[in-house]
């Protein structure tokens, strides 16, 4: 075959699996009206992030799995709020049966992490404050950027230069180092920690596969959104005295904290 030749194919399409941004709606109580009201508030606060966002409905934190009609009402509440439900998060085998009845996919990386060994109901976690209400704490326990142990074992992924609007950089199973600015509308994602040696104006999501020890380090903080292991804060919730500063972000329980680097 000559160089530059085009390979013809009769296939109707290509099918590939890739990293996509899907939000998780963790249902605390099966109240469709309250869910719609809360999600509408989130969409109004940051429409560029949440309007028509693809979301997965997570029912694992309910004491009892809702019936089909209740789940259908919850899905409709998500749609009414302006988001697009694309499936259910893995739960017990009962969740799988529910998804099959409703014709929905199950979405998660590690199914075994959700299924209790005894096959019983999952325990309900203690209530915690929503990530949006988390207040920054001035004292930070780590002063120097440290690669997360899990990610550091295979070395960090480095990206030289800027990440432009509409671009996405993803570091699978490792930390991510960005030597440049991240524009509005751009995303950087890592399964480990994220280090940004430039201005962060877009979105940074660390611990993408659930690593709660991941951190985000930024030289010039102007973010649209930061998230660690699914816990996020949008720009409207970031104190003005942190804007343009060198900061780090980390999780304390369910709270995403942000503090200046000293």
């Amino acid at each position: 075959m000559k160089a530059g030749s085009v390979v013809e194919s009769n296939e109707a399409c290509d099918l590939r699996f890739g990293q996509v941004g899907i939000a998780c709606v963790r249902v605390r109580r099966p109240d469709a009206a309250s869910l719609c009201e809360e999600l509408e508030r989130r969409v109004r606060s940051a429409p560029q992030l949440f309007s028509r966002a693809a979301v997965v409905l997570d029912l694992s934190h309910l004491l009892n799995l809702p019936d089909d009609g209740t789940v259908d009402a919850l899905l409709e509440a998500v749609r009414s709020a302006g988001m697009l439900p694309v499936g259910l998060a893995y739960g017990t085998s009962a969740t799988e049966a529910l998804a099959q009845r409703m014709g929905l996919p199950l979405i998660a990386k590690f199914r075994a992490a959700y299924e209790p060994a005894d096959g019983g109901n999952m325990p309900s976690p203690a209530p915690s404050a929503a990530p949006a209400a988390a207040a920054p704490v001035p004292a930070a326990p780590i002063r120097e950027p440290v690669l997360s142990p899990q990610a550091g074992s295979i070395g960090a992924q480095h990206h030289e230069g800027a990440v432009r609007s509409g671009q996405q950089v993803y570091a699978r199973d490792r930390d991510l180092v960005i030597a440049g600015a991240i524009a509005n509308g751009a995303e950087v994602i890592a399964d480990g920690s994220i280090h940004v040696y430039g201005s962060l104006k877009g979105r940074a999501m660390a611990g993408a596969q659930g690593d709660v020890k991941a951190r985000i380090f930024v030289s010039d903080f102007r973010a649209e959104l930061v998230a660690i292991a699914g816990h996020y804060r949008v720009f409207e919730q970031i104190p003005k005295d942190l804007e343009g500063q060198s900061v780090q972000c980390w999780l304390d329980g369910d709270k995403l904290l942000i503090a200046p680097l000293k």
Side-chain angles (χ1 to χ4, degrees):
M1 182 180 295
K2 296 181 180 180
S5 298
V6 176
V7 178
E8 295 185 358
S9 173
N10 292 325
E11 295 177 349
C13 68
D14 290 327
L15 178 61
R16 300 179 182 180
F17 287 94
Q19 175 71 15
V20 295
I22 300 180
C24 179
V25 174
R26 180 181 297 172
V27 180
R28 296 290 186 180
R29 61 181 188 274
D31 183 337
S34 297
L35 177 63
C36 183
E37 181 180 354
E38 174 63 20
L39 292 180
E40 284 180 340
R41 184 180 68 80
R42 301 294 180 98
V43 172
R44 287 194 302 268
S45 70
Q48 75 279 12
L49 298 177
F50 297 128
S51 180
R52 294 187 60 78
V55 299
V56 173
L57 204 63
D58 183 356
L59 306 173
S60 64
H61 285 246
L62 297 174
L63 285 174
N64 298 296
L65 191 66
D67 58 32
D68 296 20
T70 301
V71 174
D72 191 54
L74 293 173
L75 293 169
E76 185 56 37
V78 174
R79 297 186 189 98
S80 297
M83 296 180 171
L84 302 175
V86 296
L88 300 182
Y90 265 123
T92 64
S93 56
T95 308
E96 181 176 3
L98 171 65
Q100 289 178 345
R101 292 196 302 272
M102 304 195 73
L104 293 171
L106 289 173
I107 300 176
K109 183 178 181 182
F110 300 112
R111 177 175 179 179
Y114 291 86
E115 185 80 6
D118 59 2
N121 291 330
M122 295 188 66
S124 178
S128 59
V137 173
I142 292 182
R143 297 180 182 275
E144 296 295 331
V146 177
L147 297 181
S148 62
Q150 179 181 2
S153 60
I154 59 173
Q157 175 176 319
H158 292 259
H159 178 89
E160 299 293 333
V163 183
R164 297 186 298 274
S165 180
Q167 284 188 313
Q168 182 189 85
V169 177
Y170 173 48
R172 185 184 299 275
D173 298 326
R174 65 182 68 192
D175 290 356
L176 176 62
V177 177
I178 304 290
I182 300 168
N184 294 100
E187 287 184 347
V188 293
I189 305 170
D191 290 347
S193 296
I194 296 175
H195 307 255
V196 181
Y197 297 102
S199 178
L200 170 60
K201 295 182 179 179
R203 312 167 196 173
M205 291 166 273
Q209 299 294 347
D211 182 3
V212 296
K213 295 182 179 180
R215 293 185 177 234
I216 300 173
F217 301 91
V218 183
S219 296
D220 181 4
F221 191 61
R222 306 177 188 275
E224 292 177 335
L225 174 146
V226 289
I228 298 176
H231 300 273
Y232 69 90
R233 292 181 67 181
V234 295
F235 181 75
E236 289 83 357
Q237 300 157 351
I238 295 173
K240 290 296 182 181
D241 59 352
L242 293 177
E243 185 175 355
Q245 301 299 310
S246 295
V247 306
Q248 68 168 308
C249 312
W250 74 100
L251 282 182
D252 182 4
D254 283 340
K255 295 182 180 180
L256 197 161
L257 306 180
I258 305 172
L261 277 170
K262 298 180 180 179

